[in-house]
């Protein structure tokens, strides 16, 4: 294992060892030695407990019991031979080391347990997909483990306080000049252990958020595809007996998917392009034809533009009934006059030969445009198709 | 049917689509090669020297524009017909600017595709209604500019409008009382205007012409 991997895998123990060394150097005295021993013992004891836990097939409670027993015992065992002091003082040194070990171990357990709780929360409600894919039992186990570890850490703190209380010299026995060192070292230990924990929580939180956002996007995409493409595919499969209808469904879906992929806003029916699109869809559905539409520019629909759109609908129906495919609509709405060209490739006709019923439709178109203050021209010649041109002057801004 | 069979290379990253096009063109054209990315396309084209490249706009390795940029200049340069499912204006106008002679959508019917390939071989721009509408949109949205390359003449605009309305070259010629050759030369002029301004970045060009969001961008 490279040192980088080691740091990645065991950040807390390594950091603790580094801290132990640092404190040792900094205080360069009795207390530093005691604390360093405490840190090392706590880490070794916890590592041993984890190994034992694994040997006992992941029995967490057993592991914690081992830690609770082993930590103070190991602290004592490590401290007793360490001291060069007279026999009476050895117990005092041992109790100091044990107290420090307990606190260090408590901090480690609280950190590990807290991290488990955070991780289990992430599994539980981190992302909808994670919560779907996560095994429910493993989540519950992780949460239980986290709580147990935190509880064990708390117990160790209590144990430490008890030892201090019953120790022959108590806290005062550590010596007046020690108090500051103890407090500072304690803060340093907690800082080094708590800071990574807080950082971990922050990082995990950010990752959670990102994952949640990503999952949300996925859900939006999934929901959209479900409501649109999948529905259409299902519809198409059921309409295979009606190729015209199936093809209409496919083309409408294609158009919608393109708009969505391109991030274009859905067309608004209160604007010309959207209103025209609705009309195109309507005529395509009603008469089973293909209509290609392009719109240059756009503007809101008012009552006059509404008449224009109605006239366009009539012209499209006319083309669909009597003309030939393809039918093409070009709307030009970026100039002083809005123009809609509706063209089919039908046989074309001369005005003299207009059938009576077609004349009626034509009148409806021309009449509407006249009412709107515009004009309609039917441009048809044999062999050149038919084109209906609708023109509507836009009101100028100052109302002239 | 003419005796000569147009030699075509199909460049598309979808094998199924290539197979479909190959089947549709088999009777009318000679498919001399296929490629699925930019590098392969250039190799195949150099080896086979086709008349026409049927070029998908979206290709791994740089897209159709990368192929167009690397094609040899001069008389041996094959003519390119762009083919795409995309209807994004900057994609389409981008390949035209890079030198494609025309653009058709992938939903085009077989006989129409054959016809478009023949016209491309002849050097005639294949300017469908949709492409005409894109180009119109590109030129229309633009602010008045002193550069002639950025403006369409009234006649060019009229021709483009007719193309967008779905008229064929001959019909446009009859309606405007000009010769079909003149219609073609107007379309060619529009193409050149698009292509000559290719020294600009595409996005810059698109933004300046209001294709992208920044319709108000100054250029």
């Amino acid at each position: 294992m490279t040192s980088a991997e080691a740091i990645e895998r065991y950040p807390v123990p390594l950091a603790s060892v580094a801290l132990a060394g640092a404190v040792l150097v900094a205080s360069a005295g009795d207390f530093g030695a005691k604390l360093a021993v405490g840190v090392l013992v706590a880490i070794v004891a916890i590592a041993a407990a984890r190994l034992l836990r694994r040997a006992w097939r992941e029995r967490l409670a057993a592991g914690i019991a081992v830690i609770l027993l082993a930590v103070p015992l190991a602290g004592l065992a490590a401290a007793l031979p360490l001291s060069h002091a007279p026999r009476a003082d050895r117990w005092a040194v041992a109790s100091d080391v044990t107290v420090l070990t307990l606190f260090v171990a408590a901090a480690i357990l609280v950190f590990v347990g807290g991290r488990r709780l955070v991780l289990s929360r992430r599994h539980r409600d981190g992302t909808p997909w994670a919560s779907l894919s996560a095994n429910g039992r493993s989540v519950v186990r992780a949460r239980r483990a986290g709580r147990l570890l935190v509880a064990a850490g708390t117990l160790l703190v209590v144990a430490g306080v008890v030892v201090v209380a019953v120790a022959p010299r108590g806290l005062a026995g550590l010596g007046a000049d020690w108090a500051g060192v103890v407090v500072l070292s304690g803060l340093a230990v907690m800082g080094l252990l708590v800071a990574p924990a807080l950082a971990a929580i922050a990082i995990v939180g950010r990752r959670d958020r990102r994952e949640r956002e990503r999952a949300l996007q996925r859900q939006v995409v999934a929901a959209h595809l479900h409501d649109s493409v999948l529905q259409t595919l299902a519809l198409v499969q059921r309409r295979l007996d009606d190729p015209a209808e199936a093809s209409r469904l496919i083309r409408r879906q294609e158009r919608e998917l393109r708009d969505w992929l391109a991030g274009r806003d859905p067309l608004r029916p209160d604007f010309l392009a959207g209103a025209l699109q609705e009309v195109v869809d309507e005529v395509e559905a009603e008469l089973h034809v293909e209509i290609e539409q392009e719109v240059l520019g756009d503007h809101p629909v008012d009552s006059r533009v509404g008449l224009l759109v109605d006239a366009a609908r009539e012209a499209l129906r006319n083309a669909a009934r009597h003309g030939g495919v393809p039918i093409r609509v070009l709307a030009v709405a970026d100039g002083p006059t809005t123009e809609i060209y509706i063209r089919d490739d039908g046989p074309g006709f001369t005005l003299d030969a207009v059938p009576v019923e077609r004349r009626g439709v034509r009148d409806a178109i021309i009449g509407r445009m006249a009412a709107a203050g515009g004009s309609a021209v039917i441009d048809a010649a044999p062999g050149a198709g038919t084109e209906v041109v609708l023109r509507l002057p836009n009101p100028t801004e100052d109302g002239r | 049917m003419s005796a000569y069979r147009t030699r075509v290379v199909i460049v598309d990253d979808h094998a199924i689509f290539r197979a479909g096009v190959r089947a549709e063109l088999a009777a009318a054209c000679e498919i001399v090669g296929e490629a699925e990315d930019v590098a392969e396309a250039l190799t195949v084209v150099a080896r086979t020297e086709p008349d026409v490249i049927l070029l998908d706009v979206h290709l791994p390795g740089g897209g159709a524009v990368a192929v167009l940029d690397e094609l040899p200049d001069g008389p041996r340069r094959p003519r390119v017909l762009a083919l795409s499912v995309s209807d994004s204006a900057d994609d389409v106008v981008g390949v035209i600017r890079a030198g494609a002679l025309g653009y058709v959508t992938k939903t085009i019917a077989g006989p129409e595709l054959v016809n478009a390939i023949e016209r491309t071989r002849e050097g005639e721009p294949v300017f469908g209604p949709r492409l005409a509408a894109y180009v119109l949109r590109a030129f229309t949205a633009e602010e008045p500019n002193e550069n002639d390359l950025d403006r369409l003449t009234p006649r060019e605009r009229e021709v483009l409008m007719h193309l967008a309305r779905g008229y064929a070259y001959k019909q446009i010629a009859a309606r405007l009382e000009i010769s079909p050759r003149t219609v073609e030369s107007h379309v060619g002029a529009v193409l050149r205007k698009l292509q000559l301004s290719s020294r600009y970045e595409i996005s810059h060009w698109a933004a300046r012409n209001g294709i992208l969001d920044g319709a108000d961008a100054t250029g």
Side-chain angles (χ1 to χ4, degrees):
Chain A
M1 189 191 303
T2 66
S3 57
E5 282 171 13
I7 290 169
E8 198 168 307
R9 267 189 84 174
Y10 303 111
V12 174
L14 288 173
S16 309
V17 170
L19 177 90
V23 172
L24 191 68
V25 170
S27 55
D30 213 10
F31 177 78
K34 288 178 193 166
L35 181 63
V37 171
V39 169
L40 288 172
V41 168
I43 289 166
V44 169
I46 287 175
R50 286 185 60 168
L51 278 178
L52 281 173
R53 178 166 68 82
R54 249 177 232 160
W56 283 337
R57 301 196 178 193
E58 305 276 324
R59 249 172 244 163
L60 186 75
I64 291 173
V66 169
I67 297 172
L68 291 178
L69 277 176
V71 164
L73 286 178
L76 269 177
L80 276 177
L82 190 84
S83 178
H84 306 292
R87 190 170 248 280
D89 287 348
R90 282 193 190 178
W91 283 108
V93 172
S95 79
D96 287 351
V97 169
T98 305
V99 167
L100 291 170
T101 306
L102 284 173
F103 283 128
V104 171
I108 294 175
L109 288 185
V110 169
F111 169 74
V112 173
R115 194 160 151 271
R116 284 220 179 181
L117 279 177
V118 168
L119 290 179
S120 75
R121 187 181 62 80
R122 184 169 141 242
H123 271 297
R124 193 184 67 232
D125 54 22
T127 71
W129 296 82
S131 58
L132 275 180
S133 62
N135 171 342
R137 274 190 55 197
S138 74
V139 172
V140 170
R141 280 216 324 259
R143 258 156 67 202
R144 202 177 47 132
R147 290 205 189 112
L148 273 172
L149 286 172
V150 172
T154 316
L155 258 181
L156 286 188
V157 173
V158 173
V161 171
V162 168
V163 171
V164 167
V166 302
R169 295 176 300 172
L171 247 189
L174 287 173
D177 52 333
W178 283 91
V181 182
V182 169
V183 170
L184 281 178
S185 307
L187 281 178
V189 172
M190 291 308 283
L192 204 81
L193 289 175
V194 169
L198 287 179
I201 288 169
I203 290 168
V204 167
R206 240 198 336 265
R207 199 167 50 198
D208 279 0
R209 230 182 0 261
R210 262 207 311 274
E211 273 180 23
R212 231 170 293 164
E213 276 163 14
R214 223 173 293 151
L216 203 69
Q217 277 172 353
R218 257 197 307 259
Q219 276 183 323
V220 168
V221 171
H224 181 89
L225 293 181
H226 186 269
D227 288 347
S228 57
V229 177
L230 285 183
Q231 294 285 357
T232 301
L233 285 177
L235 272 174
V236 165
Q237 284 182 48
R238 285 167 44 194
R239 301 304 299 265
L240 286 178
D241 52 321
D242 183 352
E245 174 66 5
S247 133
R248 187 188 69 82
L249 287 168
I250 289 170
R251 279 182 309 110
R252 198 187 60 189
Q253 183 57 62
E254 182 191 342
R255 200 156 50 210
E256 195 247 32
L257 187 60
R258 278 179 189 291
D259 285 345
W260 190 72
L261 286 177
R264 282 190 287 261
D265 292 332
L267 290 173
R268 294 176 50 178
D270 55 341
F271 272 68
L272 179 66
L276 217 50
Q277 185 64 62
E278 279 189 352
V279 164
V280 163
D281 286 346
E282 192 185 315
V283 176
E284 279 189 340
E286 183 186 321
L287 297 166
H288 303 296
V289 286
E290 283 186 29
I291 300 172
E292 303 218 352
Q293 186 198 351
E294 288 290 343
V295 178
L296 305 176
D298 205 356
H299 53 61
V301 174
D302 57 18
S303 59
R304 293 166 67 249
V305 179
L307 284 170
L308 172 69
V309 172
D310 288 342
R313 181 190 288 109
E314 285 309 316
L316 278 171
R317 283 194 180 132
N318 196 25
R321 287 207 189 92
H322 306 285
V325 287
I327 298 170
R328 230 172 249 299
V329 183
L330 174 70
V332 184
D334 55 5
T337 301
T338 301
E339 295 169 335
I340 300 183
Y341 302 90
I342 296 136
R343 203 175 109 79
D344 66 67
D345 253 350
F349 57 92
T350 56
L351 279 177
D352 300 336
V354 176
V356 175
E357 49 125 8
R358 196 164 183 178
R359 196 176 290 146
V361 173
R362 198 192 67 183
D363 288 345
I365 298 169
I366 294 171
R368 277 207 174 87
M369 288 313 295
S375 68
V377 176
I378 296 177
D379 185 352
T386 305
E387 187 174 48
V388 177
V389 183
L390 309 175
R391 287 198 176 84
L392 185 66
N394 297 329
T396 49
E397 296 202 349
D398 52 0
R400 272 181 303 172
Chain B
M1 187 184 289
S2 61
Y4 185 81
R5 279 153 56 92
T6 308
R7 304 175 72 248
V8 178
V9 165
I10 305 171
V11 183
D12 194 301
D13 53 329
H14 290 99
I16 297 173
F17 184 79
R18 287 202 308 272
V21 171
R22 180 184 267 275
E24 279 182 337
L25 296 183
C29 304
E30 187 188 346
I31 312 294
V32 295
E34 287 181 23
E36 59 181 26
D37 57 34
V38 171
E40 195 186 358
L42 293 171
T43 316
V44 170
V45 167
R47 198 185 63 226
T48 57
E49 297 192 359
D51 300 317
V52 173
I53 307 175
L54 207 53
L55 186 60
D56 185 16
V57 171
H58 291 279
L59 275 185
V65 174
V67 176
L68 285 159
D69 284 348
E70 293 298 320
L71 284 179
D73 282 323
R76 278 172 51 222
R77 183 181 169 105
R79 297 193 158 124
V80 174
L81 179 62
L83 190 68
S84 174
V85 289
S86 168
D87 62 354
S88 129
D90 16 344
D91 286 352
V92 173
V93 176
V95 288
I96 296 297
R97 286 179 60 248
L101 211 49
Y103 156 81
V104 292
T105 60
K106 282 188 173 179
T107 50
I108 189 172
E112 282 179 50
L113 180 59
V114 171
N115 181 264
I117 289 174
E118 295 295 326
R119 282 168 60 193
T120 304
R121 177 168 63 90
E122 305 283 330
E124 201 181 300
V126 178
F127 229 84
R130 180 174 278 175
L131 177 55
Y134 286 160
V135 173
L136 269 173
R137 201 172 286 147
F139 278 101
T140 309
E142 155 219 348
E143 306 158 14
N145 195 309
E146 291 179 10
N147 190 346
D148 279 345
L149 286 180
D150 294 333
R151 264 187 310 203
L152 298 175
T153 66
R155 204 51 153 178
E156 287 162 357
R157 186 177 155 85
E158 211 169 356
V159 168
L160 278 185
M161 283 286 283
H162 275 87
L163 283 170
R165 283 152 70 180
Y167 285 101
Y169 286 12
K170 271 185 203 154
Q171 293 168 329
I172 297 171
R175 290 175 67 87
L176 301 182
E177 294 175 339
I178 52 181
S179 77
R181 278 270 153 236
T182 315
V183 175
E184 245 174 61
S185 75
H186 283 310
V187 177
V190 173
L191 275 183
R192 268 193 303 283
K193 282 184 182 179
L194 283 173
Q195 287 162 2
L196 278 178
S197 58
S198 68
R199 60 182 179 274
Y200 299 112
E201 288 295 312
I202 280 188
S203 56
H204 174 82
W205 184 89
R208 187 161 44 87
N209 289 284
I211 293 178
L212 298 181
D213 290 339
D216 55 346
T218 53

